Amino acid sequence: MKLIIINGPNLNLLGIREKEIYGNKSFESCFENLSFKFPDCKLEFFQSNIEGEIINKLHEVGFSYDGIILNAAAYTHTSLAIADAVKAISSPVIEVHISNIFSREKIRHTSLIAPYCKGSISGFGLKSYELAIKSFL
Ligand code: DQA
């Protein structure tokens, strides 16, 4: 099974940024752990702070991969362009959030992407990514 995790803006700062919300682990160490836990899964990772790069990556992988795990970060709440890209591709997408977006500020309660995703996982810390992989398997 070929899966990719796509992380959006500021998620390159995991482990440094707002540790009380996002924890103290880097995504690189989380990814290493996931690759170890799911050896039968061909797992890739891409991060960008740039909306267009996320869209380009969705187009690149979105017709051939078995699944996409997307944490679009703040673009979740604002980007109609990323939502359109998710709608346009054929690979199933699971939306993931580290924090529980529904227990935070009102602006984070809305996801423009969610209607086009297979499902959404929010609030389980970095474990949210693991749950998304498990749901694909
Ligand atoms: C986030 C939640 C978003 O609201 C926020 O902008 C992020 C991270 C999460 O994983 O909890 O950057 O997607």
Side-chain angles (χ1 to χ4, degrees):
M1 169 152 301
K2 203 169 177 185
L3 302 177
I4 185 168
I5 296 171
I6 300 179
N7 274 343
N10 303 305
L11 292 172
N12 53 312
L13 295 182
L14 282 178
I16 299 167
R17 160 198 192 207
E18 298 177 276
K19 290 184 190 172
E20 62 296 347
I21 299 175
Y22 300 113
N24 54 15
K25 278 201 185 133
S26 68
F27 191 76
E28 286 68 18
S29 71
C30 168
F31 185 74
E32 215 171 279
N33 189 33
L34 292 173
S35 304
F36 181 75
K37 265 194 176 153
F38 300 101
D40 296 334
C41 192
K42 199 174 173 304
L43 199 57
E44 291 174 26
F45 161 57
F46 174 80
Q47 190 276 331
S48 177
N49 295 320
I50 299 166
E51 188 177 26
E53 287 186 358
I54 295 167
I55 294 167
N56 285 344
K57 183 52 85 175
L58 287 167
H59 292 176
E60 184 190 316
V61 301
F63 297 92
S64 56
Y65 281 48
D66 299 305
I68 298 168
I69 295 159
L70 174 63
N71 185 347
Y75 284 141
T76 304
H77 320 297
T78 62
S79 178
L80 193 55
I82 293 179
D84 281 349
V86 171
K87 192 179 179 193
I89 61 179
S90 55
S91 299
V93 177
I94 294 183
E95 174 189 23
V96 155
H97 298 286
I98 298 163
S99 63
N100 178 355
I101 56 172
F102 301 102
S103 68
R104 300 182 64 191
E105 310 94 295
K106 199 148 194 278
I107 193 155
R108 295 183 204 274
H109 299 183
T110 302
S111 167
L112 301 185
I113 292 160
Y116 311 114
C117 290
K118 193 168 179 226
S120 302
I121 298 169
S122 168
F124 295 93
L126 289 172
K127 199 142 185 116
S128 294
Y129 292 95
E130 186 179 330
L131 295 171
I133 295 171
K134 279 189 173 156
S135 88
F136 275 125
L137 295 176

